[in-house]
Amino acid sequence: MKKKRIKILIAISFFLLCFSLPALAAEDIMPLADVKAGMTGYGKTVFKGTKIEKFPIEVISIMNDRSLDQDLILIKLTGKEVEEYGGIAAGMSGSPIYINDRLIGAIGYGWSNSDHRYGLVTPIERMLKLIDSDRLNSQTNVGQRPAEVNDFAPEENFIKTTTPLMVSGLSGRALKQLKSRLTNYKLDVIPSPGIEESDKSNARPRPGEAIAVQLVRGDISIASIGTLTYIDKDNILAFGHPFTNRGKVSYLLSRAKINAVIPSTEQPFKLGSPYNRLLGSITEDRGAGIAGKIDTYPRITPLYVAVYEDGKLIKEVSLQIINDEHLFDSLANTAALQAVDSALDRIGPGSAHSKLKIMGRGLPELQVESDNMYYSQNDIGSMALTDFSQLLNLILTNPYKEINLIDIRLELDFSKKDSVALVQEAKVLNDQIHPGDELEVEVKLHKYRDGIEKKIVKLKIPEDIEPGMATLFIDGGYTGETNRSQLPEELPENNSNGDGLKEAKIAGHKTFESMLEAYLDSADNNDLILQLYPAYSAPPAYEESSAESPTERFKNQKEDPKSKDEQQAKNELEQETAADNAAEQEIKERFTTDYVLEGNLNLNLEIIQPDADTVNSTATEAETAQSSDNLKQPEDKKETALERDSNQDTEKENNESK
């Protein structure tokens, strides 16, 4: 019996050893409790090319923060390598540190404008939690930070050993825009040589190797360079501090090549380039570092930008961007701006026509298309990206549903011509206007330094329009439709339930499809817009002959909650129906022109009801015509009528005789 108990205890111990410390199977670790000041060891990193080199370290102190389980290890780098390269450099984040060949953690933090030989190590025990499946299942979603990150902010006292964001293919204001958009992530944006194509290594990655977390790849590259800390089968750990700190993420992972370590008084940094061949993906980005999977790849969105000038293709840019709705907008807009600037090689006036096609799961029929025309006297390049930026932002930030982007294609055709005009004059050509007529309007467009162009447009007037004075608005699409003063609507009485809770509804869009339709249906900059606002009729007065007065009806509804709810639902339905009918009855037309149109005009006109005399005269003529037709009946029909009268008289006499 005793031997049986011993066997059971051994089996349990083996089980706990295998499943509670999976790291032991990959690499021997030293618990933080065993790390003491004065111990010496070494670290691994790449200083140039892809060769992993060792550098000596000494443990100075353990910085305890046991209440938050956020202890850090203070170390000092020694040796000729450190003297040569100036100490801890940006890009060394994640460099594994060993004592007695046992892993204690990764370089994660340091100080700027100080002795760069000193740094802080994130214990490996904290980093291993990133690949603990139980912990990952309990973590928050993308964009939400775990409590430990909020509670612990080491950057208040010292800075993380930055992972420089290496950028190639961006320059000028596009590079400046990227830095501005990524300010919240505290990333150092550094121009780099570009993507390395010749990654011929088929070996598994090793701790100490330089790695790249890629956000954009292709003709433009945006990637962060750091160091691999730990690998166990297909799981990897790196950096020793957060990259974007977004929790669950989906970034691209590859090896990197280090070109050189650049000295700096603030902090030296590694200048490197990502390799084109991918290793896998980064799936976790939290306080202790980043974690990922080898041979598992994230979703990406292709972006194609074609730039033309007067119909001739002058630049094509093809990219792959990580499918992260919080970063995609910034990355895509920066890339598009760079494509335009490098193609035009100028910032100045001109006109442009844009065509945009976005494909994605969740979009109507899986895609949307939009085109528009632009003009600017100062910067046509950035102006032409307005539709691209606005529509992309609407899709990514809409509050109703997640859209998984599949593909984006943007075509821009630029011209140095001043394709812009002012809506200068307008006049109605009709002598009189009646319900059902076609309103004919002559509009004069003053083209920029190119004379006047007349345009005659027509607007159909409904048969049931209210006679009287009406206002016609003529707008240029670029100026936008003039804000109309609406008649004030009566505010509905607040409804309350038995608990006294108020109910309210916000006016506006209720679905993503409604938002998208409203945007796509808005006027283009080169549209000429005609909209007629007829006279409003007075609301019908209350009739005393009604079987029930409004006061009595209200009392009855108040006494009967069910009736009140039914009436409320009926009223809401009637209001929605009235709004839909108003939209359908909108008297409006848009006409496409060859110019970006500015300015707006309005003129008053009268819808004339046909005269009563004319109506009576018409009716009299109709009656006379009908009588004439009756007199012109055929002879055989007249004889038949006489015979019928004679027969009736004979029958009457017979009845009297009887």
Side-chain angles (χ1 to χ4, degrees):
M1 186 70 178
K2 188 175 181 181
K3 290 182 179 180
K4 188 175 181 181
R5 288 180 180 176
I6 293 174
K7 289 181 179 180
I8 293 174
L9 290 174
I10 292 174
I12 293 174
S13 300
F14 179 77
F15 178 84
L16 293 174
L17 183 64
C18 291
F19 290 93
S20 64
L21 291 175
L24 294 179
E27 194 164 359
D28 193 8
I29 69 169
M30 177 180 287
L32 180 63
D34 294 344
V35 179
K36 307 297 181 183
M39 286 183 168
T40 59
Y42 61 90
K44 292 181 180 180
T45 198
V46 175
F47 291 109
K48 190 171 184 179
T50 58
K51 181 183 177 182
I52 300 175
E53 299 185 49
K54 293 183 178 181
F55 54 89
I57 66 99
E58 178 185 355
V59 176
I60 303 300
S61 177
I62 307 299
M63 302 182 66
N64 294 317
D65 191 355
R66 299 191 183 280
S67 62
L68 296 176
D69 189 26
Q70 302 289 354
D71 300 337
L72 294 170
I73 305 169
L74 176 62
I75 64 170
K76 179 182 179 181
L77 279 63
T78 60
K80 63 178 183 179
E81 293 85 359
V82 174
E83 298 297 332
E84 180 181 355
Y85 297 113
I88 297 176
M92 288 181 68
S93 299
S95 297
I97 303 299
Y98 300 86
I99 294 177
N100 298 330
D101 294 329
R102 299 170 69 188
L103 180 63
I104 67 169
I107 291 178
Y109 299 91
W111 290 267
S112 60
N113 300 314
S114 63
D115 189 339
H116 302 303
R117 294 177 298 171
Y118 291 87
L120 293 164
V121 172
T122 302
I124 188 61
E125 292 148 302
R126 281 186 55 212
M127 297 182 68
L128 286 172
K129 293 179 182 179
L130 295 174
I131 54 177
D132 184 335
S133 59
D134 292 335
R135 179 176 183 275
L136 292 181
N137 290 335
S138 64
Q139 288 297 337
T140 53
N141 293 326
V142 175
Q144 296 178 318
R145 298 184 176 185
E148 65 174 36
V149 176
N150 288 331
D151 294 337
F152 180 65
E155 57 268 22
E156 294 178 2
N157 302 311
F158 37 81
I159 64 169
K160 62 185 180 183
T161 303
T162 56
T163 50
L165 198 64
M166 297 296 170
V167 176
S168 67
L170 291 181
S171 60
R173 61 177 178 172
L175 183 61
K176 184 177 180 181
Q177 176 178 285
L178 179 66
K179 292 179 180 179
S180 175
R181 286 176 175 261
L182 298 180
T183 299
N184 292 337
Y185 297 105
K186 299 180 180 179
L187 299 172
D188 290 337
V189 178
I190 300 173
S192 73
I195 288 184
E196 292 286 339
E197 298 292 340
S198 57
D199 177 15
K200 299 179 180 179
S201 174
N202 293 320
R204 300 282 288 178
R206 295 176 296 160
E209 277 195 52
I211 61 169
V213 179
Q214 298 188 33
L215 306 180
V216 179
R217 54 192 270 115
D219 293 330
I220 294 172
S221 172
I222 302 176
S224 183
I225 303 294
T227 305
L228 182 64
T229 305
Y230 171 88
I231 182 168
D232 178 15
K233 298 179 181 178
D234 60 346
N235 295 305
I236 66 105
L237 295 171
F239 284 18
H241 62 67
F243 171 40
T244 62
N245 204 13
R246 296 199 53 80
K248 284 189 175 296
V249 295
S250 186
Y251 302 155
L252 299 163
L253 173 66
S254 72
R255 285 186 170 93
K257 177 183 178 181
I258 304 302
N259 301 97
V261 177
I262 309 300
S264 171
T265 55
E266 183 176 353
Q267 185 182 27
F269 62 90
K270 291 182 180 181
L271 183 65
S273 305
Y275 278 108
N276 187 53
R277 188 168 69 88
L278 297 175
L279 291 175
S281 62
I282 297 299
T283 57
E284 296 289 329
D285 185 356
R286 303 184 185 274
I290 61 173
K293 294 280 188 179
I294 301 295
D295 297 330
T296 300
Y297 304 97
R299 290 186 297 109
I300 54 175
T301 301
L303 170 62
Y304 171 78
V305 182
V307 182
Y308 299 80
E309 191 161 28
D310 295 324
K312 181 180 179 181
L313 180 64
I314 57 175
K315 185 75 174 181
E316 289 181 290
V317 173
S318 295
L319 306 170
Q320 294 175 335
I321 304 178
I322 58 165
N323 209 326
D324 184 310
E325 64 180 15
H326 298 280
L327 290 171
F328 191 93
D329 183 41
S330 298
L331 299 173
N333 276 282
T334 300
L337 179 60
Q338 180 62 48
V340 170
D341 282 354
S342 59
L344 297 182
D345 196 21
R346 64 181 176 87
I347 298 177
S351 306
H353 186 265
S354 72
K355 291 183 178 180
L356 174 62
K357 181 179 180 180
I358 300 178
M359 299 182 65
R361 296 180 184 88
L363 294 175
E365 299 181 357
L366 293 179
Q367 68 178 36
V368 294
E369 296 186 40
S370 177
D371 60 358
N372 212 331
M373 188 174 180
Y374 299 94
Y375 170 78
S376 174
Q377 289 185 330
N378 303 312
D379 185 4
I380 185 58
S382 62
M383 176 68 76
L385 296 173
T386 302
D387 190 36
F388 175 74
S389 178
Q390 290 180 348
L391 184 54
L392 195 59
N393 181 264
L394 183 150
I395 291 173
L396 293 174
T397 63
N398 85 84
Y400 299 105
K401 63 192 298 188
E402 181 181 359
I403 306 297
N404 294 318
L405 298 176
I406 298 174
D407 184 74
I408 302 176
R409 299 181 67 86
L410 173 64
E411 296 182 5
L412 300 166
D413 192 358
F414 291 90
S415 174
K416 294 181 180 179
K417 296 179 180 178
D418 297 305
S419 300
V420 61
L422 177 68
V423 180
Q424 190 175 52
E425 294 181 25
K427 67 177 180 179
V428 176
L429 301 181
N430 306 59
D431 292 331
Q432 288 187 337
I433 306 168
H434 302 95
D437 284 355
E438 193 171 52
L439 187 64
E440 195 170 356
V441 183
E442 180 186 87
V443 181
K444 290 184 179 180
L445 305 178
H446 184 182
K447 299 182 291 183
Y448 182 73
R449 295 179 178 177
D450 195 23
I452 301 294
E453 179 177 316
K454 293 182 181 180
K455 193 174 184 69
I456 296 178
V457 291
K458 297 179 180 181
L459 180 65
K460 177 67 176 177
I461 298 177
E463 296 280 355
D464 58 351
I465 192 171
E466 186 73 22
M469 297 303 297
T471 303
L472 178 67
F473 287 87
I474 302 104
D475 283 316
Y478 178 76
T479 306
E481 298 177 44
T482 308
N483 291 326
R484 318 297 187 209
S485 57
Q486 301 291 336
L487 290 178
E489 298 180 356
E490 292 184 4
L491 295 176
E493 183 177 346
N494 284 333
N495 299 316
S496 60
N497 57 23
D499 299 328
L501 298 177
K502 301 297 182 181
E503 296 179 358
K505 289 186 178 179
I506 187 169
H509 301 291
K510 298 179 181 178
T511 64
F512 166 71
E513 288 73 17
S514 173
M515 289 178 61
L516 184 62
E517 182 181 359
Y519 178 85
L520 296 176
D521 193 47
S522 60
D524 294 335
N525 293 330
N526 57 323
D527 280 347
L528 178 64
I529 308 160
L530 265 65
Q531 187 160 8
L532 183 66
Y533 286 82
Y536 289 93
S537 58
Y542 165 67
E543 299 179 2
E544 293 188 1
S545 60
S546 174
E548 187 178 35
S549 70
T551 305
E552 293 172 345
R553 185 161 56 250
F554 176 76
K555 288 181 179 179
N556 293 336
Q557 291 176 358
K558 192 171 183 180
E559 293 171 358
D560 186 358
K562 183 178 179 181
S563 174
K564 180 179 178 181
D565 293 341
E566 291 176 352
Q567 184 63 33
Q568 179 181 344
K570 181 180 179 181
N571 292 340
E572 290 178 356
L573 180 61
E574 290 176 352
Q575 291 174 3
E576 292 179 1
T577 304
D580 293 339
N581 292 337
E584 292 177 0
Q585 295 173 3
E586 188 177 52
I587 310 171
K588 177 180 175 181
E589 288 289 346
R590 297 205 302 254
F591 306 90
T592 302
T593 72
D594 296 327
Y595 314 99
V596 173
L597 293 183
E598 299 178 344
N600 55 76
L601 303 170
N602 65 81
L603 52 89
N604 295 324
L605 49 88
E606 185 178 7
I607 309 295
I608 301 174
Q609 179 73 28
D611 294 337
D613 293 341
T614 304
V615 174
N616 293 334
S617 175
T618 303
T620 302
E621 291 176 359
E623 292 174 359
T624 303
Q626 182 65 36
S627 300
S628 176
D629 290 340
N630 292 337
L631 292 174
K632 293 179 181 179
Q633 290 181 356
E635 291 297 327
D636 57 342
K637 288 188 177 181
K638 290 182 180 180
E639 292 175 358
T640 302
L642 291 173
E643 290 174 356
R644 184 170 60 251
D645 292 341
S646 176
N647 292 335
Q648 290 176 353
D649 292 341
T650 303
E651 184 177 356
K652 184 177 180 181
E653 291 176 357
N654 292 335
N655 290 334
E656 290 176 351
S657 170
K658 291 179 181 180

